[in-house]
Amino acid sequence: MTPALRRRLVLALPWAWMALFFVVPFAFVLTIAFAEPAEGLPPYAPLLRWSGEATAVLQLNLANFQLLLDDPYYLDAYLRSLRVAAISATLCLLIGYPMALAIARAPEHRRNLLLMLVILPFWTSFLLRVTAWIGILQDQGWLNGALLALGLIDQPIPLLYTDVAMYIGITYCYLPFMVLPLYATLSKLDPSLLEAAEDLGAPPWRAFLQVTLPLSLPGIVAGFLLVFIPAVGEFVIPELLGGPGAQLIGRVLWTEFFQNRDWPLASALAIVLLAALVAPIALFQWRAGR
């Protein structure tokens, strides 16, 4: 068996996995996006329709994509989702970078314990973790109770069902996705580079800005994307913690799919969202390759 054949056999399984669980579902969603809504189950008309004697006619409906361009409701949902995801990813970066740097510079026998503490929330149900924040952030919750007991406030602060609560929930749930790739990058940095910077008279903050931060950019990019991409389509956290004005694209998709039963429009929403996420990543990869 030649090395080229062995390489193809090794790559066959992941490519088959991607084709089965990504390409095929994407093809179904894309097909539904060009269909017309209809009564019945499934609630859309097939693209191939029979006309005359055994003649199949392909009818593509572009009205769903046209509606997304004409109705500002959907554009606002997209822009709001991108803004929320960008702010959440930035908050995770600001909190997660010091955590990852501290773990990377900790004694080697303590790193596994610190990493376990970062991953520990994943051992609990995602829904339970989000629901727990309701008890913390509500008017009679633990946070307001602690602030009242310390005399920092005179009356409870309305935190629950606000954008602040939504950002707290998203940052808390997706923080490990930022810490782990940052740690993987920072732990591989050569300590002698910082020692050389100190020998040349660079203070710690300048060594960090000119040595550590540039070398950790791959981890920053990876962590930012790992938080940003799922946060764009987040539904559970805005639904449980956000206010009525938090109409993110995940909420809109759920409404169109389950309440309005407009599967073609919901599929068009998903296709446009996927294109908006994949196109910048593909451009970044192309520029990085050049």
Side-chain angles (χ1 to χ4, degrees), residues 200-217:
L200 293 174
W205 63 268
R206 188 169 184 179
F208 170 78
L209 292 178
Q210 295 187 350
V211 178
T212 304
L213 187 61
L215 293 177
S216 63
L217 282 179

Side-chain angles (χ1 to χ4, degrees), residues 6-247:
R6 286 199 298 267
R7 182 175 181 273
R8 292 177 182 177
L9 291 176
V10 171
L11 294 177
L13 183 59
W15 279 112
W17 180 277
M18 289 291 293
L20 181 61
F21 293 102
F22 179 76
V23 177
V24 174
F26 175 78
F28 277 111
V29 174
L30 184 62
T31 302
I32 298 174
F34 287 103
E36 296 180 359
E39 297 293 334
L41 191 66
Y44 61 89
L47 295 182
L48 287 176
R49 302 180 189 178
W50 297 100
S51 176
E53 297 181 358
T55 302
V57 179
L58 180 62
Q59 296 184 356
L60 298 180
N61 178 31
L62 301 178
N64 299 316
F65 295 95
Q66 185 64 38
L67 179 61
L68 299 184
L69 297 175
D70 295 339
D71 195 338
Y73 170 74
Y74 300 107
L75 180 60
D76 291 342
Y78 278 120
L79 296 178
R80 190 178 297 113
S81 299
L82 294 175
R83 184 178 69 249
V84 169
I87 294 175
S88 301
T90 302
L91 291 174
C92 286
L93 177 61
L94 294 177
I95 299 173
Y97 197 101
M99 293 175 60
L101 186 61
I103 297 174
R105 294 183 177 179
E108 193 168 350
H109 65 279
R110 295 182 181 177
R111 293 180 185 178
N112 291 334
L113 175 61
L114 296 175
L115 287 175
M116 187 191 70
L117 294 177
V118 173
I119 304 173
L120 191 62
F122 283 110
W123 297 0
T124 308
S125 169
F126 176 82
L127 186 60
L128 289 178
R129 285 185 282 137
V130 177
T131 307
W133 278 102
I134 297 178
I136 297 174
L137 298 176
Q138 62 185 350
D139 292 347
Q140 306 303 323
W142 295 356
L143 181 57
N144 276 310
L147 294 176
L148 288 171
L150 294 173
L152 299 177
I153 57 175
D154 297 330
Q155 56 184 2
I157 302 175
L159 296 173
L160 191 59
Y161 307 127
T162 62
D163 288 347
V164 174
M166 180 178 62
Y167 286 123
I168 290 175
I170 295 176
T171 304
Y172 165 76
C173 291
Y174 289 109
L175 184 61
F177 293 105
M178 179 66 72
V179 174
L180 294 179
L182 281 173
Y183 166 76
T185 302
L186 292 170
S187 62
K188 297 178 182 178
L189 297 184
D190 190 355
S192 61
L193 297 176
L194 293 177
E195 295 176 0
E198 293 177 359
D199 292 340
L200 293 174
W205 63 268
R206 188 169 184 179
F208 170 78
L209 292 178
Q210 295 187 350
V211 178
T212 304
L213 187 61
L215 293 177
S216 63
L217 282 179
I220 294 175
V221 174
F224 195 92
L225 291 178
L226 285 175
V227 175
F228 181 86
I229 292 175
V232 170
E234 181 59 50
F235 167 74
V236 175
I237 298 176
E239 182 71 18
L240 294 180
L241 300 179
Q247 289 296 328

